[in-house]
Amino acid sequence: MEKATADLARLVPRLVAVWRGLRQGARRGPRPPPDRLLPDELREVAAGVARLSGGLTRERALAGARYMDDPRLLGAYLLFYWPTSYLQARGVFSELPRRPGAVLDLGSGPAPVAFAALHAGASDATAADRSARALAAARALAAEAGEPLATKPWDPTRPGALAQLAAGRTFDTVALGHVVNELFAGEAAAEKRAALLEEAARLLRPGGSLVVIEPALRDTSRQLLAVRDLLVARGLSVRAPCLFQGACPALARETDWCHAERPIEPPPLVAEIARAAGLRKEAVKMSYLVLAPPGEGWAAPPPGRVFRIVSEPLPSKGRLRYMACGPEGRLGLSLQEKHVNDRNRRFEKLLRGDVVALTEVEPRGDGLRLSEASEVRVIARAGEAVSGPPTLSPALPLPGGGARQP
């Protein structure tokens, strides 16, 4: 994430310049600092961020509303949530099997995901949204940054809108950042969301990727997993983060969900706005899926007993534990302190999202226990692509007996 963070730092003055250019009643007088806000500006943005935070993460009254058409909320998004969405997308694009190529950013707002794609090596990007004001901000930012960004109107609630938008064109990457959870509320929401993603996946070129990024809230994460299961049942395959090919095991208990987390050092401006709004911004958290085009099968996992870490470290008296998910399903991994040695010491430093291969483990309780003989090998760090062999590995034993085909 270091390069992404550095790229974002160079964008911050441009974000501020665009915000000031779009702001109604902008201050006249001496030129303000390019990368910091004046006291009255900070108060205005912090108030907008507080409204967005409450409306999108707590009571969710703004979810699905046209808040991007409100100049103050758009401005708050541009200076606070835009950088976070940019870093989220950069993290996901780093897991794609190839560069993003030609990108369609659906429900783009002022296009943080499109900019992330361009900085991750995309050849071109089109931002599509129903808010003309948000698209104007995206164009202004593209002009400031000298990026080849196109914009088009798109209303996801209008039948046929996606086909009309694409106009027969296909893409290497289609992305939806913080969009799906705000669409199609009600009992049939999961079916309608899955139908939209199926339609978007049909716009992919062979080898392309459908990228879906959602908030890391429990409810929105579980909703995304429910949509995932519908798509998997209809034959779509998941590139990331899933190594398990059946129905998501995180949905078995209502208290479980699945999200990614990347520690970051936020830009000083974002940290200042967070403090002023009474929020904390110490990590990038998200739920996400990367889906392959229709007809493309699941990639085989790396050989051996492979797991993605899906929790923070869970220390208890005399041992360290993680929740993990792999071809065998979702289960706990544990290692007692007295068994730590050079072969398994990496276990102590694992992060949520890391993919590891283990040897010499044994079933214990609801998971697997490592021992002095166990070896821990990190196959991919969080945010890195996972590569595997060209053929499927054989069925793997489950804790407590039985086997599941990966």
Side-chain angles (χ1 to χ4, degrees):
M1 293 289 284
E2 290 184 7
K3 185 178 187 308
T5 303
D7 290 341
L8 176 59
R10 289 189 287 272
L11 280 171
V12 167
R14 295 183 169 97
L15 287 166
V16 174
V18 169
W19 174 75
R20 285 181 172 138
L22 297 175
R23 185 182 178 218
Q24 293 181 352
R27 164 190 296 265
R28 295 181 179 179
R31 186 183 182 92
D35 58 350
R36 291 185 295 110
L37 298 180
L38 298 171
D40 61 324
E41 295 176 325
L42 180 60
R43 286 191 294 271
E44 177 184 320
V45 172
V49 168
R51 282 183 60 198
L52 282 175
S53 177
L56 295 175
T57 65
R58 289 193 286 274
E59 71 272 13
R60 292 186 55 78
L62 290 177
R66 304 191 66 144
Y67 52 86
M68 289 289 183
D69 291 335
D70 183 320
R72 288 181 180 263
L73 294 184
L74 174 60
Y77 181 92
L78 197 64
L79 295 188
F80 186 76
Y81 288 103
W82 197 104
T84 299
S85 295
Y86 173 90
L87 290 176
Q88 290 173 339
R90 285 292 295 270
V92 177
F93 289 142
S94 68
E95 296 191 42
L96 300 187
R98 65 189 192 192
R99 291 188 177 185
V103 176
L104 176 61
D105 179 9
L106 294 173
S108 64
V113 175
F115 273 84
L118 289 167
H119 294 170
S123 57
D124 64 89
T126 300
D129 199 272
R130 64 182 177 179
S131 171
R133 193 181 294 271
L135 292 179
R139 290 192 297 271
L141 184 58
E144 281 276 341
E147 296 289 358
L149 179 73
T151 62
K152 290 186 176 182
W154 175 64
D155 185 349
T157 65
R158 187 164 55 83
L162 187 52
Q164 183 178 355
L165 169 65
R169 186 184 177 191
T170 57
F171 301 86
D172 298 292
T173 305
V174 178
L176 297 95
H178 296 271
V179 178
V180 176
N181 75 96
E182 297 191 21
L183 297 177
F184 313 122
E187 292 183 2
E191 287 283 350
K192 293 178 180 179
R193 292 166 180 172
L196 173 63
L197 294 183
E198 278 191 291
E199 186 181 5
R202 288 195 289 270
L203 299 179
L204 293 172
R205 297 168 183 170
S209 296
L210 175 62
V211 173
V212 184
I213 303 172
E214 291 281 79
L217 305 170
R218 186 189 71 172
D219 288 348
T220 54
S221 295
R222 288 179 63 84
Q223 290 164 11
L224 178 61
L225 297 179
V227 172
R228 170 213 179 270
D229 282 1
L230 289 173
L231 295 171
V232 169
R234 296 171 189 177
L236 270 71
S237 58
V238 182
R239 294 197 190 282
C242 305
L243 299 171
F244 184 71
Q245 298 182 18
C248 179
L251 291 177
R253 299 191 311 171
E254 290 188 5
T255 54
D256 289 339
W257 74 98
C258 189
H259 70 275
E261 182 172 345
R262 309 281 191 267
I264 63 164
E265 184 71 29
L269 177 63
V270 173
E272 183 180 36
I273 294 171
R275 287 191 297 269
L279 303 175
R280 297 176 63 183
K281 185 61 68 176
E282 298 173 351
V284 169
K285 298 181 180 181
M286 61 185 167
S287 295
Y288 72 101
L289 286 176
V290 180
L291 297 155
E296 182 175 316
W298 290 73
R305 305 194 78 166
V306 181
F307 301 91
R308 186 182 292 275
I309 302 302
V310 295
S311 76
E312 69 277 8
L314 304 169
S316 61
K317 188 174 182 180
R319 71 167 185 165
L320 179 61
R321 189 169 183 267
Y322 299 90
M323 291 304 299
C325 193
E328 302 174 51
R330 181 184 175 98
L331 44 77
L333 306 176
S334 65
L335 174 64
Q336 292 185 327
E337 290 178 1
K338 64 182 181 181
H339 292 153
V340 174
N341 57 31
D342 289 342
R343 289 170 58 85
N344 58 36
R345 195 176 303 279
R346 291 183 183 88
F347 192 79
E348 297 181 309
K349 302 296 184 182
L350 296 178
L351 298 175
R352 185 192 295 268
D354 289 348
V355 178
V356 297
L358 308 177
T359 65
E360 303 295 332
V361 295
E362 61 180 12
R364 180 58 59 94
D366 65 347
L368 299 173
R369 186 178 70 175
L370 286 73
S371 68
E372 295 166 323
S374 302
E375 181 180 4
V376 178
R377 183 165 55 91
V378 178
I379 294 174
R381 286 294 183 186
E384 295 178 351
V386 180
S387 59
T391 58
L392 289 176
S393 57
L396 299 171
L398 286 170
R404 179 174 281 126
Q405 190 70 31

